[in-house]
Amino acid sequence: MNLMDRYVYAVVRHVPASQKADIEKEIRAMIDELLQEKMKKTQTGQDGTASGREGQNEPDEQAVRAVLTSLGDPAELARQYHGSSQYVIGPALYETYWLVMRIVLAATGIGLLIATVIQLVTDSQMNGWEAFGSLTGGLFQGLLSAFGMVTLIFLLINRYGADEISKGIKEEKEKWKPDDLPQVPEAKLRIKRSDPIANVIFSLIFLVIINVYPELFGYYQKTGDELMIIGFLGEGFFSALIWINLVIVLGIILEALKIVTGRWTLPLTLSCMVQNSFSLIVSLRVVRDPAFINPEFIKTINTFLSDSGTELSFTWQNALVTGITVLIVFGFIVEMITLIAKSVRLLQTK
């Protein structure tokens, strides 16, 4: 990968996704123009006389380095495309801020909608207008709170972090050279934004459900005009809820880092390995707890099987726990193999 490609990649990675293609074309055209000017000066000499290089059509590496050095730090060049004066959040953080904001608002809205639907279905005393009022009020408060928290977090980062980053860039600006350009990552080491975004959304929805309406995971039984839900999860799950929440939050943070970096790095893969191991420990501790399944759920299912004339020669809850355990361990092994493979590839590309 030549220096020009590395420089263009280093610039466009800092600009909004919708502008990447246009900005890349503009930067390449600007570099080509500067190279042509430099080659003309080299061929004619500074005094306007021929230098004996008229036949040289392609710029050499020395000319490319000189042009890129004159353009300066690619992060600084990318800032010129942001128009920082129009943003409350600094240009270095604005794209990530807006992306995270959309994800959080969407996930919060979906979670509140699910909660309202469950409340409407399970509460026969609630009519449609009451449900609509509850949903409207909940959305207003929930989305406003989510907006305020995300904005506050990024304001603090911008206030105490972005200035230090900008200061460091200014201090190093004169020292920057083309050799400092990062390598363009291989296709297998790039992270598509759609994957971590989807993971964040589903993680947030799951987080809302297990903390607000955990009975959503359960047995639904129609009794008269009401719909009863017998929750699947027992005290063994709820006693470890703080650890489960911690695993999910750590996972969301890592997915956010994937969105920001856009590529796999050794620190990121190692962090994912640690989080994956922590998730395995917590998951096995929860699933293997004798109180993992709600006794009422077990009793209800046994009654349903008995009434339907089904007789099992084994205890179904033990088989279910064993199956869940196998799936957890299998998922852990697959994920670790994937992360190790990425780490090896990263080491090979250094």
Side-chain angles (χ1 to χ4, degrees):
M1 195 66 65
N2 60 46
L3 286 173
M4 185 186 301
D5 292 333
R6 291 166 59 186
Y7 189 89
V8 172
Y9 166 76
V11 174
V12 299
R13 64 182 297 198
H14 294 290
V15 302
S18 60
Q19 302 177 21
K20 286 184 185 294
D22 293 336
I23 292 176
E24 179 175 348
K25 291 180 181 179
E26 182 177 338
I27 293 173
R28 288 187 180 277
M30 179 171 58
I31 294 175
D32 287 337
E33 183 178 351
L34 292 174
L35 283 173
Q36 293 299 324
E37 292 179 359
K38 186 169 184 60
M39 289 174 62
K40 288 180 180 178
K41 291 181 179 179
T42 302
Q43 291 172 0
T44 58
Q46 297 296 329
D47 57 357
T49 59
S51 63
R53 297 186 182 182
E54 291 82 354
Q56 183 177 345
N57 295 320
E58 294 295 331
D60 55 20
E61 184 175 345
Q62 183 178 358
V64 174
R65 287 178 179 274
V67 169
L68 297 184
T69 302
S70 66
L71 289 175
D73 191 334
E76 188 69 24
L77 180 60
R79 282 181 177 81
Q80 300 177 17
Y81 290 94
H82 280 280
S84 58
S85 59
Q86 63 180 312
Y87 301 125
V88 175
I89 304 297
L93 297 173
Y94 184 78
E95 183 188 5
T96 305
Y97 160 75
W98 182 231
L99 179 62
V100 172
M101 178 67 76
R102 284 179 290 178
I103 294 173
V104 171
L105 291 180
T108 302
I110 293 173
L112 291 171
L113 179 61
I114 292 174
T116 303
V117 171
I118 294 173
Q119 187 178 8
L120 178 62
V121 172
T122 56
D123 189 355
S124 60
Q125 303 298 321
M126 177 179 287
N127 58 41
W129 286 110
E130 290 177 336
F132 178 76
S134 176
L135 176 61
T136 304
L139 282 175
F140 178 78
Q141 294 181 358
L143 296 180
L144 185 62
S145 299
F147 176 84
M149 288 302 298
V150 173
T151 302
L152 177 61
I153 291 172
F154 275 86
L155 279 173
L156 292 174
I157 295 174
N158 185 71
R159 173 64 180 84
Y160 297 103
D163 290 344
E164 292 297 322
I165 295 173
S166 300
K167 180 180 177 182
I169 291 174
K170 290 178 181 178
E171 290 177 349
E172 297 294 331
K173 187 175 180 181
E174 296 181 357
K175 301 178 182 178
W176 182 88
K177 52 186 181 298
D179 289 332
D180 296 330
L181 289 170
Q183 294 289 345
V184 179
E186 298 179 16
K188 293 183 178 180
L189 295 179
R190 297 184 184 182
I191 300 176
K192 294 181 179 179
R193 281 191 168 183
S194 57
D195 296 335
I197 287 174
N199 291 336
V200 169
I201 292 174
F202 285 114
S203 295
L204 286 170
I205 294 174
F206 182 71
L207 195 65
V208 171
I209 291 175
I210 64 173
N211 285 277
V212 180
Y213 280 97
E215 62 270 19
L216 180 63
F217 303 105
Y219 177 76
Y220 294 72
Q221 186 176 33
K222 184 78 172 179
T223 57
D225 295 333
E226 294 185 358
L227 179 66
M228 292 183 59
I229 304 177
I230 296 87
F232 170 79
L233 303 172
E235 289 301 320
F237 179 88
F238 296 110
S239 63
L241 190 57
I242 185 173
W243 296 104
I244 297 171
N245 287 333
L246 182 58
V247 169
I248 297 174
V249 170
L250 289 176
I252 292 174
I253 292 173
L254 288 176
E255 295 300 329
L257 288 175
K258 292 178 184 178
I259 296 173
V260 173
T261 60
R263 56 169 295 176
W264 286 99
T265 62
L266 280 176
L268 182 58
T269 54
L270 292 176
S271 298
C272 288
M273 288 180 187
V274 173
Q275 193 272 342
N276 197 32
S277 301
F278 180 52
S279 176
L280 174 70
I281 295 172
V282 173
S283 299
L284 292 181
R285 171 66 181 83
V286 172
V287 172
R288 304 304 296 182
D289 191 309
F292 168 58
I293 302 178
N294 182 11
E296 287 299 319
F297 180 86
I298 297 175
K299 182 179 177 180
T300 302
I301 295 299
N302 286 335
T303 301
F304 172 78
L305 293 175
S306 177
D307 293 343
S308 62
T310 303
E311 294 185 3
L312 298 177
S313 58
F314 58 91
T315 306
W316 64 266
Q317 58 265 33
N318 292 340
L320 177 61
V321 168
T322 300
I324 295 175
T325 302
V326 171
L327 288 176
I328 291 173
V329 174
F330 177 76
F332 168 79
I333 294 174
V334 171
E335 183 67 15
M336 290 299 288
I337 291 175
T338 302
L339 292 172
I340 291 172
K342 292 186 184 299
S343 300
V344 172
R345 185 175 291 273
L346 284 167
L347 291 171
Q348 291 175 343
T349 56
K350 280 193 170 184

